[in-house]
Amino acid sequence: MDSKPRLMIIIGSVRPGRVGLPIANWAFERASATSLFDIEMADLADIDLPFLNEPAHPRLAQYSLPHTVEWSERVAAADAFLLVAPEYNYGYAPALKNALDFLNGEWRLKPVAFVSYGGISAGTRGAAALAPVLMSLGLVRAANNVEIPFARTRVEGERFFADERLEAVLLDELHELALLAVGMTALRRHMTA
């Protein structure tokens, strides 16, 4: 890989007042400081995808709607994904699941990791509920994942405050994603050659 891998940080919550935005900004700042990636932030609240409304199955990539074409191009350009994902009612955020479902091949053979957050479970049940979805799309899940319990207690204004443990786990996760991105990019090139 001649250039740095492209990391897309996806903010999975679209709720007003969400803590996902300050958490994603923290992850973006830390990822930028590593110089491991070119980074793009994808805020699903701004992207505003409707519920999956393409007439053809996503695996066919016969997109007919401008929002799908734009989302497809952004995801296809990424080499790795960091999902900033809340837990809702022991599951995942519907906006995040919808964004995943819009596409198919664009996700294939790319690494993904979580910065999950919630109450006592730190969003782990939501991340676990997404695991079979990620696998069916061909995403390769990293072993390291940031899990933030009682995330709202760490947000003041628009800023998220992490402790040393969260900082260390995020750094390990970013390094793992970078290594996986390089290896998976080589694998994708080999499979299409």
Side-chain angles (χ1 to χ4, degrees), residues 32-178:
S32 297
T34 67
S35 300
L36 293 169
F37 304 98
D38 290 325
I39 306 167
E40 177 187 7
M41 190 85 86
D43 186 344
L44 295 182
D46 293 337
I47 295 168
D48 197 25
L49 291 169
F51 279 109
L52 182 56
N53 62 345
E54 283 286 344
H57 192 286
R59 73 179 156 68
L60 300 174
Q62 296 172 349
Y63 307 129
S64 62
L65 301 168
H67 57 260
T68 312
V69 171
E70 183 181 336
W71 182 231
S72 169
E73 290 170 352
R74 289 178 73 178
V75 170
D79 299 304
F81 303 95
L82 185 62
L83 306 180
V84 179
E87 178 180 318
Y88 292 162
N89 302 317
Y90 286 64
Y92 42 73
L96 180 55
K97 173 70 162 64
N98 186 54
L100 291 164
D101 289 343
F102 253 93
L103 308 175
N104 189 281
E106 295 88 341
W107 303 110
R108 186 163 168 69
L109 294 176
K110 295 180 181 179
V112 62
F114 282 93
V115 174
S116 68
Y117 62 94
I120 196 165
S121 76
T124 58
R125 295 175 294 210
L130 267 180
V133 175
L134 302 177
M135 185 176 67
S136 72
L137 291 171
L139 285 155
V140 177
R141 189 158 171 202
N144 288 298
N145 289 279
V146 175
E147 300 163 343
I148 307 169
F150 304 108
R152 190 163 296 281
T153 64
R154 295 182 170 277
V155 175
E156 292 179 20
E158 295 298 315
R159 189 144 182 87
F160 175 75
F161 293 91
D163 59 23
E164 288 181 20
R165 182 189 63 81
L166 291 174
E167 296 279 357
V169 174
L170 179 61
L171 188 59
D172 288 346
E173 180 178 55
L174 292 168
H175 281 279
E176 182 181 4
L177 274 176

